[in-house]
Amino acid sequence: MITPRIPNQRAIIDRRALADAIAEQVAAQGDKARTAIVELLRYALAKGRDELARRLREKPSHGTECAQGQAFLIDQLVRVIHDHVVGHVYRASNRSTGERIALVAVGGYGRGEMAPHSDVDIAFLTPTKPTAWCEQVIEAMLYFFWDLGLKVGQSSRSLDEMVRMARSDLTIRTALLEGRYIWGDRALYEEGSRRFWAEVVTGTERQFVAEKLAERNERHKKLGDSRYVVEPNVKEGKGGLRDLHTLYWIGKYIHKVRDPSELVEVGLLTAAEYRAFRRAESFFWSVRCHLHAVTGRAEDRLTFDLQREVALRMNFADRPCKSAVERFMQYFFLQATQVGSLTGMFLAQLDEQFAKTKLGFFAALRGRRKRKIGAFPIQAEKLGADGDDFFRQDPVRLIEIFLVADREGLEIHPEAMRLARRDSGLIDASVRRDPRANTMFMELLTSRRDPETALRWMSEAGIFGRFVPDFGRVVAQMQFDMYHHYTVDEHTIRAIGLLSRIEKGEETEQHPMATEVISKVASRRVLYVATLLHDIAKGRRGDHSILGAEIAMKLCPRLGMSPAETELVAWLVRWHLLMSATAFKRDLADYKTIADFAGRVQSQERLRLLLVLTIVDIRAVGPGIWNSWKRQLLGDLFTSTEEVLRLGHKQYGRAERIAAKKKAVAALLKERDALIGTVGKQLGDAYWIAEPEDIIALNLQQMDISLDEPLTVEAHWYPARGATLVTVLAADHPGLFYRIAGGIHLAGGNIIDARIHTARNGLAVDNFLVQDPLGRPLNEPAQIARLKNAIADALANRVKLLPQLAARPSARPRAEAFEVEPIVIFDNKASNRFTVIEVGARDRPALLSQLARALFEARLVVHSAHIATYGERAVDTFYVTDLLGEKIEADTRMRAVEKRLIEAAEDRRSKAAAA
């Protein structure tokens, strides 16, 4: 390891002055000097850290210098402590040959780079089994480290033990690979280093590479297996520091390089790639050092609450349409992408070197006759480029290579990828207008094989963003929220991949309706291009749906689409959020909801396309977003709208629909179908229209059993909706809804849908669909019992709802990192009978209960509630009337209701109660 030169070292720590001060304390206090010595060491450590923190603040992008400075600081302290212990505590004037110790820095510390709160990894190396003197020295040093608050990873091994354990354990071998002499017996260290390279490394090069790559892949799987996770781990995540270190470790193991710069000399990286290596490494070290500085601990995950702070410290500023934190994270993801590219180039060169020396992965291929597919040579069973000017001869080949790779099921040779990345600038306006290039791009986009993989390669090479410049604008662009798990470009490519799998029938279990519907779609091209363009205008001023439709109108003709196809793509992009907004935030039992939606969609082809686009859009947001409740709602909306579009508005009237519903309920009740004519008579027409037949059957049986009961609460796991169905029968009275909601929240439930009915005899029949706050089912017997008891306690006033709800911890504590301004929207056109009130606010425990209480205090009656969450943001929709059953239409009344709801959304009452 080439030791870096640290500027103005004595401003960080003056080792000689510290050693003299310790010697003075020993001379003055003798054996009682330890406490004073620890204080001297603590002061030196704190002063050094303060100096390094100051330098980082002054030069916030010089992270590598900070990391090297931290290692230098620890080096000096280790040396001072060693000299004090050996010279004053366990002084031995005539040591035997076995009483020798070499202090070796290993791991990241051995590389000479440490974040402010990184572990201090030290190996104590002895010639043979440690003697009593060696053990005393090691123990005394460790106690000093612990007194300083350092987290020490230490090992004490003889030379033979070191060799044996390094052979058998990959982690130990990697740590020792970066071993660096700190202090002690240098001859012993040199002997250990010689034996490590001669007895551990020699002959195991290929095994080491395979094991390190397998270890890397496993690490990526644990952390999301994507370099575009929006809360990335700077150290361990895909495209992070550990991936860069892996390249260095492999280069060092194979070629014994002492510094990453020597990777150029041994042919594993070009000079330009090494500069990119250093640029990414310095940036990631800067981020990591700032993370440690901000949190005061070894924190390597760039969480939402820290992203804003680190962006500020690194001098990123707001720009029109893009905040400082979004610009910072975009740069982060661009660097992570660069690391991925470097890894591909590095491993390709390594394969070539192995092959040439008959060691490697492709040695068996030598001597085979070269073959070509079109203009592209096959190199080591990968698609290659024939010569340095291959793409300059015909820039359209930059598109064609990805199409051929997909068509033939081949990987692209990393050397060809290197050339493609270098020559991506050849894609100019003339290439973008070239009919051949556009035909090839469309064939790739709509491929029936694996368009996701080929498009991702194309994006990583920089070709995708050059050929479709609007796509280039969203590359590595993150959205600063808890809902979107991936950057816009990654989300788009994943959506295309999911669309392809649905079309091939590989997602039948998850998406049976989409699999059936996609086979009826008339234009595959429209669907794939709409998926590509649905988010392409994110990050610009204005509504990305409207702006995206404008982009579609310009781009689609260039791609060879007809005017009719272009118009359909633009329509889909413009309204790609309509179906989810209607399904999740509106009452699908209200006929006007379906009629309005059908009026916007207008054709069955549009409906099919919109359903599939909506599904892939939601699924590609990230893991855990899609669930059976969303599947059910979208399916219900699709089926109801399809019926309207097929039969027109002359389908069943109100009476016919109720009669059909009763017939379906009778079939479910079987021998108990008489309940429809007994207890069912108490239920009005609105109930029969609103509730699905399976829930009606359950309600009627519950009403029959509990005729004389003042309160009954039933809870059943409802797999069709992916939630627990909670039904409450009680004498109706003002405030019933918010109390039930409060009880459900106290029991750890989260309401995703609610329908509130009052029978003719004054009995409230309220149905709630409940999950836990993270969208998981509540189906354990203990959970259901807790729900029942909490609701009963809330309705009987046995608990004080407000303080207990305020005290509940948030299921999403990271939501506090986001500012979500509450908003209230009134809509008197969405329903013929009700005023629809939509409230957007930051999600938190019991938000629905507090909004319901505000509506109760505003003397409004809630008839149904529909809850949607988008990460940190919740949108709660209420269908309400006044006490006389009329809509809320007076401006003054709406303003008064809005004020109450804003106060509830901001949680002012709970904050006042807590204060």
Side-chain angles (χ1 to χ4, degrees):
M1 180 72 197
I2 299 174
T3 304
R5 176 66 185 170
I6 309 296
N8 197 7
Q9 296 177 351
R10 289 186 181 176
I12 300 172
I13 184 171
D14 188 334
R15 178 164 58 91
R16 292 180 182 175
L18 178 60
D20 290 345
I22 288 173
E24 290 176 9
Q25 291 295 329
V26 172
Q29 300 186 55
D31 294 341
K32 297 179 181 179
R34 191 180 191 285
T35 302
I37 292 169
V38 169
E39 287 305 314
L40 286 170
L41 292 168
R42 280 180 180 154
Y43 176 75
L45 176 61
K47 181 174 175 291
R49 282 177 169 171
D50 288 345
E51 171 62 18
L52 291 167
R54 183 192 65 78
R55 294 185 184 187
L56 185 63
R57 286 193 299 272
E58 287 184 357
K59 297 180 178 179
S61 60
H62 289 215
T64 305
E65 290 181 14
C66 178
Q68 292 168 348
Q70 297 286 347
F72 168 77
L73 172 62
I74 298 300
D75 279 356
Q76 305 313 308
L77 289 171
V78 169
R79 291 168 180 171
V80 168
I81 291 169
H82 170 273
D83 290 350
H84 167 64
V85 171
V86 172
H88 301 127
V89 181
Y90 294 109
R91 187 169 187 172
S93 57
N94 189 22
R95 282 186 270 164
S96 66
T97 55
E99 292 178 326
R100 294 185 294 150
I101 300 177
L103 273 58
V104 183
V106 295
Y109 177 36
R111 197 170 51 252
E113 296 171 331
M114 295 177 69
H117 296 279
S118 292
D119 294 359
V120 180
D121 294 324
I122 296 181
F124 296 95
L125 196 60
T126 56
T128 56
K129 183 179 179 180
T131 64
W133 178 83
C134 290
E135 289 177 344
Q136 288 174 324
V137 169
I138 293 168
E139 183 180 28
M141 290 188 67
L142 288 174
Y143 274 111
F144 273 111
F145 297 151
W146 294 332
D147 286 341
L148 293 179
L150 299 174
K151 188 177 179 183
V152 181
Q154 60 86 25
S155 63
S156 174
R157 298 189 181 102
S158 67
L159 288 172
D160 290 341
E161 286 175 326
M162 179 269 291
V163 170
R164 186 177 68 253
M165 296 190 75
R167 281 174 175 168
S168 62
D169 190 299
L170 180 67
T171 302
I172 294 174
R173 196 185 318 171
T174 306
L176 290 171
L177 179 64
E178 299 203 283
R180 174 175 60 86
Y181 172 77
I182 309 176
W183 215 234
D185 194 303
R186 181 177 281 276
L188 180 59
Y189 164 78
E190 298 290 353
E191 174 64 12
S193 178
R194 184 193 65 76
R195 290 191 62 184
F196 174 77
W197 287 101
E199 300 177 34
V200 177
V201 174
T202 302
T204 63
E205 291 86 354
R206 185 177 179 184
Q207 174 200 3
F208 179 81
V209 173
E211 288 180 352
K212 289 312 292 184
L213 295 180
E215 179 187 73
R216 181 197 64 164
N217 293 339
E218 189 60 33
R219 173 167 45 82
H220 290 169
K221 284 180 183 177
K222 289 180 181 178
L223 294 168
D225 203 23
S226 172
R227 63 180 62 95
Y228 304 105
V229 178
V230 292
E231 285 188 304
N233 188 302
V234 184
K235 178 183 174 184
E236 303 285 355
K238 191 170 187 177
L241 276 170
R242 184 64 80 225
D243 282 3
L244 287 172
H245 297 158
T246 299
L247 301 186
Y248 173 55
W249 293 333
I250 291 173
K252 187 169 187 176
Y253 207 91
I254 304 299
H255 292 289
K256 299 179 176 57
V257 300
R258 298 172 299 159
D259 186 84
S261 61
E262 296 179 4
L263 295 173
V264 178
E265 297 172 21
V266 299
L268 290 174
L269 293 176
T270 65
E273 287 164 352
Y274 171 68
R275 288 193 296 272
F277 180 107
R278 294 297 298 177
R279 188 163 52 248
E281 183 184 43
S282 180
F283 175 75
F284 287 139
W285 267 119
S286 299
V287 173
R288 192 176 179 211
C289 288
H290 285 295
L291 277 174
H292 283 220
V294 170
T295 60
R297 63 178 187 273
E299 176 60 73
D300 296 322
R301 190 176 177 212
L302 196 52
T303 54
F304 290 122
D305 55 325
L306 296 173
Q307 288 173 12
R308 200 189 302 272
E309 177 69 20
V310 174
L312 186 66
R313 289 174 67 101
M314 293 187 69
N315 293 335
F316 281 83
D318 291 340
R319 291 288 185 270
C321 306
K322 196 170 290 186
S323 67
V325 67
E326 288 173 332
R327 293 183 62 237
F328 162 64
M329 291 305 298
Q330 183 169 28
Y331 190 77
F332 183 100
F333 291 124
L334 288 171
Q335 294 305 314
T337 302
Q338 184 68 58
V339 172
S341 300
L342 289 173
T343 300
M345 299 302 105
F346 180 97
L347 295 179
Q349 293 302 321
L350 191 65
D351 278 342
E352 298 250 340
Q353 291 180 5
F354 275 152
K356 289 175 183 175
T357 55
K358 299 183 181 181
L359 290 173
F361 303 110
F362 303 121
L365 300 173
R366 296 176 72 204
R368 287 189 182 181
R369 184 173 58 85
K370 288 186 177 180
R371 63 188 180 95
K372 285 188 173 185
I373 297 176
F376 300 93
I378 303 301
Q379 301 168 346
E381 293 304 301
K382 291 181 171 68
L383 203 62
D386 205 354
D388 188 69
D389 63 345
F390 181 72
F391 294 115
R392 284 196 291 272
Q393 292 173 14
D394 182 4
V396 175
R397 288 173 177 169
L398 289 164
I399 308 296
E400 186 180 7
I401 190 171
F402 297 99
L403 175 61
V404 174
D406 175 70
R407 185 190 296 153
E408 302 296 329
L410 291 172
E411 292 183 28
I412 297 174
H413 195 282
E415 187 58 40
M417 284 288 280
R418 177 185 274 165
L419 288 175
R421 186 176 292 104
R422 185 199 69 184
D423 292 342
S424 61
L426 295 172
I427 296 183
D428 54 15
S430 63
V431 176
R432 286 191 284 269
R433 289 192 302 267
D434 191 305
R436 282 192 309 140
N438 284 287
T439 300
M440 289 176 186
F441 178 78
M442 283 294 289
E443 186 179 341
L444 176 59
L445 175 64
T446 60
S447 166
R448 295 184 185 273
R449 287 166 289 274
D450 184 14
E452 179 180 5
T453 298
L455 289 172
R456 184 171 284 111
W457 290 343
M458 189 184 229
S459 181
E460 290 178 353
I463 306 298
F464 200 162
R466 294 283 303 182
F467 190 70
V468 184
D470 290 297
F471 183 83
R473 291 182 62 168
V474 297
V475 168
Q477 180 176 307
M478 65 94 70
Q479 298 166 81
F480 189 59
D481 60 42
M482 288 172 58
Y483 180 64
H484 297 91
H485 290 233
Y486 304 110
T487 55
V488 177
D489 56 321
E490 177 69 4
H491 162 76
T492 301
I493 292 171
R494 282 173 178 256
I496 293 168
L498 177 61
L499 177 60
S500 175
R501 293 195 299 277
I502 289 174
E503 187 180 27
K504 289 185 285 188
E506 296 173 3
E507 295 283 337
T508 305
E509 186 175 338
Q510 275 276 17
H511 302 293
M513 179 173 281
T515 303
E516 179 186 350
V517 164
I518 201 170
S519 64
K520 300 176 183 177
V521 164
S523 177
R524 294 178 66 250
R525 292 174 12 128
V526 165
L527 187 53
Y528 277 88
V529 175
T531 304
L532 167 64
L533 301 182
H534 76 281
D535 277 349
I536 203 161
K538 281 199 167 176
R540 307 189 190 197
R541 288 182 177 176
D543 186 325
H544 80 278
S545 301
I546 297 172
L547 297 174
E550 293 172 359
I551 291 170
M553 292 299 293
K554 296 175 183 176
L555 178 63
C556 290
R558 196 199 96 188
L559 295 176
M561 303 189 83
S562 68
E565 288 177 315
T566 298
E567 186 179 346
L568 188 49
V569 170
W571 185 90
L572 285 168
V573 174
R574 170 64 184 89
W575 297 107
H576 73 275
L577 298 175
L578 175 65
M579 193 166 195
S580 58
T582 304
F584 304 156
K585 298 192 286 185
R586 290 293 180 264
D587 189 343
L588 301 185
D590 189 320
Y591 180 73
K592 194 168 189 304
T593 298
I594 307 302
D596 288 350
F597 179 71
R600 176 66 67 186
V601 174
Q602 295 184 346
S603 77
Q604 292 197 50
E605 175 70 1
R606 279 184 178 183
L607 179 63
R608 295 186 192 110
L609 291 167
L610 191 56
L611 173 73
V612 179
L613 177 58
T614 301
I615 287 171
V616 298
D617 186 17
I618 295 171
R619 266 286 304 276
V621 164
I625 299 299
W626 180 259
N627 56 37
S628 56
W629 172 236
K630 291 177 179 175
R631 182 195 300 122
Q632 183 71 41
L633 290 175
L634 288 171
D636 289 348
L637 177 58
F638 177 86
T639 303
S640 299
T641 308
E642 185 182 43
E643 185 179 21
V644 170
L645 293 171
R646 183 164 45 85
L647 301 177
H649 293 282
K650 294 182 180 179
Q651 60 173 2
Y652 292 153
R654 188 179 182 87
E656 289 84 354
R657 289 159 64 201
I658 292 171
K661 185 72 68 69
K662 287 183 177 180
K663 186 177 179 181
V665 173
L668 292 173
L669 289 172
K670 297 179 181 176
E671 65 274 7
R672 302 198 67 193
D673 60 354
L675 291 175
I676 296 171
T678 54
V679 293
K681 280 188 174 180
Q682 299 296 327
L683 299 166
D685 289 354
Y687 171 88
W688 286 96
I689 290 172
E691 295 291 359
E693 49 265 30
D694 51 350
I695 290 182
I696 294 175
L698 290 171
N699 286 171
L700 293 179
Q701 294 174 81
Q702 184 180 345
M703 289 171 69
D704 183 52
I705 294 168
S706 57
L707 282 175
D708 299 321
E709 296 290 333
L711 169 69
T712 61
V713 180
E714 287 295 331
H716 308 275
W717 168 236
Y718 193 9
R721 302 296 201 266
T724 298
L725 172 65
V726 178
T727 301
V728 180
L729 304 182
D732 198 12
H733 63 269
L736 181 69
F737 174 52
Y738 90 77
R739 289 186 181 279
I740 296 172
I744 290 172
H745 288 306
L746 281 182
N750 191 53
I751 298 168
I752 60 172
D753 198 72
R755 295 188 188 279
I756 296 90
H757 310 280
T758 303
R760 293 187 174 94
N761 60 359
L763 181 72
V765 182
D766 295 351
N767 290 311
F768 299 85
L769 288 174
V770 181
Q771 296 173 333
D772 82 355
L774 298 179
R776 298 172 302 201
L778 288 172
N779 56 359
E780 296 293 330
Q783 293 174 319
I784 290 176
R786 189 163 62 246
L787 271 173
K788 291 182 177 182
N789 292 335
I791 293 168
D793 288 345
L795 292 180
N797 279 324
R798 288 193 289 266
V799 293
K800 293 183 178 180
L801 281 176
L802 191 61
Q804 289 208 28
L805 290 171
R808 281 192 64 79
S810 173
R812 295 184 175 88
R814 290 176 296 147
E816 295 175 6
F818 301 90
E819 292 293 330
V820 180
E821 280 296 318
I823 184 171
V824 178
I825 299 170
F826 291 83
D827 189 344
N828 275 308
K829 295 180 181 179
S831 173
N832 291 327
R833 295 180 55 213
F834 308 112
T835 293
V836 178
I837 302 177
E838 191 175 299
V839 184
R842 190 172 71 189
D843 193 21
R844 65 171 193 278
L847 173 64
L848 175 64
S849 176
Q850 291 177 333
L851 293 175
R853 180 175 183 135
L855 292 171
F856 157 67
E857 292 173 344
R859 292 175 296 142
L860 297 181
V861 178
V862 177
H863 296 270
S864 70
H866 312 275
I867 293 84
T869 54
Y870 304 89
E872 75 284 357
R873 185 169 58 91
V875 180
D876 292 1
T877 305
F878 303 92
Y879 279 63
V880 305
T881 61
D882 63 16
L883 297 177
L884 299 176
E886 300 296 327
K887 287 187 176 185
I888 317 304
E889 295 182 305
D891 285 345
T892 53
R893 186 76 193 281
M894 284 194 283
R895 298 291 79 76
V897 173
E898 180 182 21
K899 182 181 178 183
R900 285 184 183 275
L901 289 170
I902 293 289
E903 288 176 356
E906 292 177 341
D907 203 16
R908 295 181 194 173
R909 185 177 298 186
S910 293
K911 290 174 181 174

